[in-house]
Amino acid sequence: MRNNLFREDLYYRLAVFPIVIPPLRERKEDIPLLCREFIRQAAGELKVPIPVFKEAALQRVSAYDFPGNIRELRNLIERACILANGQDIPLDALPIAREALPGMAPSVERSEQQWISSLPETLNLRNLLRSLERRLIQRALDATGGSQAEAARRLGLSRSDLGYKMGKGGIKIAAE
C-alpha cells in the first residue's frame, strides 16, 4: 500500500480475518503427520500400495527446512512414492541436499576448503567458475536422466535459471 502497488480499500476488504500460518520449518512437529497424509494421498492417486516411511527417512525429512514449504514436502513425498514402487521408501528417494541437514555442513565446508587450497594461487576465476558451473549442471543432468526439473532442484536453481545457464553454457541433454 505504501508503494501504491496494492489498493488500500481492497486490502481492508480482504483483511477482515487474517490467518497467520507459520512456515513448515517452524512447525517441524507437523511433518510426520503431513508425510503420512501425503503418502496416503499419493498412493491413492498412483493406485499403488501405501509404502512404509522408515524412521531414517522420516528423520531426514524432519531435519530439512523446506524453503519451498508444504508444496515442496508434498512433491517430495509424491516422488518418493513413485520410486518406492509399493515398498519401503528408500533414503535415496528423498533428494534433500545433505549439506542442508544438521551435522553435515562441517564436512562439506572442510572438503571445500581442501579443494580451494589445492588450487593455484594465480588463476582465471571467470574460466574456473564457468567450467565448474558447466560440469555441475552436466553432472546433475546425467544423474537425473536428463530431467531438467529434478536437476534444477538438486542444484538449488529455478527451472528457468537452469535453462538459462544451459543455453549460456551450450549444455545439451544427452537425448537431444
Side-chain angles (χ1 to χ4, degrees), residues 87-101:
Q87 300 178 11
D88 296 347
I89 293 178
L91 276 176
D92 62 350
L94 303 168
I96 296 173
R98 293 182 186 274
E99 59 272 7
L101 301 174

Side-chain angles (χ1 to χ4, degrees), residues 18-76:
I19 300 173
V20 178
I21 301 173
L24 194 52
R25 67 182 164 274
E26 293 175 13
R27 299 180 293 137
K28 299 272 188 188
E29 67 279 357
D30 291 348
I31 292 176
L33 178 65
L34 288 167
C35 285
R36 283 192 290 276
E37 178 58 22
F38 290 156
I39 287 172
R40 189 190 61 71
Q41 288 175 7
E45 290 169 8
L46 296 167
K47 296 181 180 19
V48 297
I50 298 174
V52 176
F53 215 107
K54 293 289 190 179
E55 189 60 32
L58 190 56
Q59 285 175 354
R60 176 178 280 184
V61 171
S62 295
Y64 186 59
D65 275 343
F66 287 100
N69 221 340
I70 201 158
R71 285 190 182 123
E72 183 180 4
L73 174 62
R74 181 174 173 77
N75 290 343
L76 181 78

